[in-house]
Amino acid sequence: MSYFEKAKEGEEVICKIYGVGEIVMVCPDCKYAIMVSFEDGTDIPYTLEGVPALDGHDEQTLFYPKDM
């Protein structure tokens, strides 16, 4: 089971890089299945495992607040 397998739009999340954000799109059939919008206006796609679509990042950086 993937960490964000049951992710829903509107849920708050926290990224180790960008801070607090909100899931704005979920597309489980896509490689980058989650789009997160952060407080500074940055939008970053993530895998269901919480790995961002950023060069040099291959580990989970996105979490639910309760797990931080």
Side-chain angles (χ1 to χ4, degrees), residues 3-4 14 60 62-68:
Y3 185 81
F4 286 103
I14 298 177
Q60 181 177 2
L62 191 69
F63 300 90
Y64 288 113
K66 66 178 177 59
D67 295 332
M68 291 299 289

Side-chain angles (χ1 to χ4, degrees), residues 15-52:
C15 177
K16 291 181 177 180
I17 301 167
Y18 291 99
V20 177
E22 179 181 324
I23 296 174
V24 295
M25 185 194 76
V26 178
C27 179
D29 296 328
C30 300
K31 177 178 180 178
Y32 294 103
I34 301 168
M35 179 66 73
V36 177
S37 182
F38 293 96
E39 292 177 340
D40 69 355
T42 303
D43 293 334
I44 303 288
Y46 290 84
T47 66
L48 289 176
E49 289 79 27
V51 178

